[in-house]
Amino acid sequence: MPLKSKLKVLITGGAGYIGSHVVKALGEDGHEVAVFDNLTSGNREAVLHGELIVADLLDRDALRKAMADFKPNAVMHFAAHIIVPESVKDPLKYYRNNTGATIDLLDAIQEADVRLFVFSSSAAVYGNPETAPVSENAPLMPINPYGTTKMINELMLRDLSLADAGFRYVSLRYFNVAGADAQRRIGQSYKHPTHLITRALKTAKGESPKLEIFGTDYPTFDGTCIRDYVHVDDLAAAHLDALRYLGEGGSSNVFNCGYGHGYSVREVVAAAKKITNIDFCTEETGRRKGDAAVLVADNTKIRETLGWEPRFDDLDYILKTAWDWEIKAG
Ligand code: UFG
């Protein structure tokens, strides 16, 4: 559902995979957007609407200038490092970039008196949850530094909203985001992809000799990890729903964003082979550090409170759009 009033939205990380799909959705809905991105993992061409400010979040002057020049009504914060295994190896990089930079951003938006904020959080805040599906009330017990940075940011937002009644935020806890724009304009284009679906498709393309399956001894029906794969356009729509909710006076809140059911690594691999029609090589190896066995969203709250209605809850469609994007990328 389109937002009633049009907003000016500053989007950090808007040249990245998820951010660029949100920029597309906001632009198509008639909002004015400005992207703030240092292009370390984003791409200039991915910004389909609005102005691109190439700068780093840790550059406070650039941040202040962007706020002063653009005068946003709302900020959406995507910019972050996102690779779980890298965060295990280099935690300080994650604390500096994901947590330190968020403090600077919140300082800047307080100074500029921006009142509405949407934060890219992650199911990684739950760690290895005891329940599947997991609801927003489950304890936050991240098992890797990446998840810890997202949890700390959520706690900072909570405390800031308690200290300043005018500041309201929505934190969206993403599950496993995948797929690409149906018109192949934007998609995932990391230089060193680590995510299962992208790696499987790159293996099918012949860019890698084999796909490793990390761990076959998890307590799941086939021994491999289970994840809730959500199409990036459905996730993007959830951001517009969050903005509408805040714009209509909704109070600060946290929502899971996933479909409520999951697939094992083996199931994803089988579906990827079917969609690509390529029987690529796989190898079963040991567990990857920091992986939870099962992460599936209880999405009752986002459906009921934000009115989020997923349109692409279909693993084959997710894989097909991601594959079309891969083929286009050459
Ligand atoms: N996997 C493989 N082989 C690979 C890559 C991944 O077997 O080459 C496995 C992983 O071990 C895991 C599953 O596939 O069991 C999914 O791994 P991804 O790397 O695709 O995604 P993650 O579940 O680690 O993390 C993603 C996001 C996080 C988010 C999490 C929530 O990157 O931000 O989903 O569900 F927190």
Side-chain angles (χ1 to χ4, degrees):
M1 196 198 305
L3 269 71
K4 276 191 214 126
S5 57
K6 301 305 170 193
L7 297 173
K8 293 180 80 171
V9 189
L10 183 87
I11 300 168
T12 77
Y17 170 50
I18 299 173
S20 64
H21 284 81
V22 174
V23 168
K24 174 186 76 167
L26 284 166
E28 285 171 356
D29 203 28
H31 302 281
E32 202 178 325
V33 296
V35 168
F36 190 97
D37 198 304
N38 65 7
L39 299 183
T40 51
S41 56
N43 297 299
R44 194 177 287 279
E45 304 73 43
V47 179
L48 299 180
H49 295 274
E51 143 192 36
L52 168 65
I53 301 159
V54 180
D56 197 288
L57 271 183
L58 291 166
D59 178 348
R60 289 177 180 219
D61 291 338
L63 204 46
R64 280 204 191 102
K65 183 169 176 347
M67 295 290 173
D69 291 349
F70 184 61
K71 299 187 178 53
N73 314 104
V75 170
M76 290 192 173
H77 180 33
F78 297 89
H81 293 320
I82 56 152
I83 300 168
V84 170
E86 183 188 50
S87 81
V88 175
K89 282 203 195 92
D90 192 355
L92 294 185
K93 176 174 176 183
Y94 277 68
Y95 288 108
R96 188 175 305 111
N97 192 64
N98 292 7
T99 305
T102 301
I103 296 177
D104 289 350
L105 176 63
L106 291 173
D107 265 340
I109 73 170
Q110 288 270 291
E111 258 177 52
D113 208 26
V114 179
R115 314 313 282 154
L116 309 180
F117 192 80
V118 179
F119 176 57
S120 276
S121 189
S122 166
V125 297
Y126 297 118
N128 224 331
E130 280 178 11
T131 54
V134 60
S135 88
E136 291 84 350
N137 299 326
L140 304 187
M141 294 196 290
I143 54 172
N144 52 59
Y146 166 74
T148 309
T149 64
K150 293 289 178 182
M151 179 186 75
I152 294 172
N153 286 354
E154 282 201 6
L155 297 178
M156 289 196 305
L157 287 168
R158 181 199 64 189
D159 292 345
L160 188 58
S161 71
L162 291 173
D164 172 359
F167 172 78
R168 287 175 296 119
Y169 73 95
V170 160
S171 183
L172 293 173
R173 294 180 181 158
Y174 309 161
F175 282 67
N176 286 59
V177 189
D181 172 52
Q183 293 171 49
R184 302 191 200 186
R185 291 168 295 178
I186 45 178
Q188 208 172 72
S189 48
Y190 302 132
K191 287 181 197 93
H192 306 288
T194 61
H195 291 115
L196 176 63
I197 288 185
T198 311
R199 279 174 92 143
L201 298 178
K202 287 199 180 290
T203 311
K205 254 171 100 184
E207 287 183 23
S208 170
K210 62 180 183 225
L211 175 77
E212 288 176 284
I213 295 180
F214 297 134
T216 54
D217 60 347
Y218 284 96
T220 61
F221 78 95
D222 69 3
T224 65
C225 293
I226 293 179
R227 294 289 183 272
D228 184 337
Y229 294 90
V230 55
H231 192 277
V232 64
D233 279 333
D234 274 338
L235 185 76
H239 291 75
L240 271 70
D241 293 336
L243 208 52
R244 181 182 336 102
Y245 164 86
L246 288 172
E248 290 172 359
S251 52
S252 293
N253 221 328
V254 175
F255 300 97
N256 283 340
C257 198
Y259 291 143
H261 58 88
Y263 295 95
S264 73
V265 172
R266 287 192 209 275
E267 287 179 313
V268 172
V269 169
K273 288 184 177 185
K274 184 185 74 180
I275 291 297
T276 60
N277 210 15
I278 297 169
D279 188 14
F280 55 85
C281 183
T282 59
E283 185 188 0
E284 295 180 356
T285 61
R287 291 183 178 199
R288 191 176 69 175
K289 273 190 194 156
D291 275 344
V294 181
L295 276 171
V296 173
D298 177 341
N299 63 16
T300 314
K301 188 174 168 189
I302 190 169
R303 282 176 178 274
E304 289 182 354
T305 313
L306 299 190
W308 182 61
E309 284 179 21
R311 294 183 300 152
F312 309 112
D313 178 1
D314 176 351
L315 183 60
D316 287 354
Y317 178 78
I318 290 174
L319 286 162
K320 175 80 173 72
T321 53
W323 180 236
D324 286 349
W325 168 254
E326 278 298 331
I327 298 295
K328 182 191 167 189

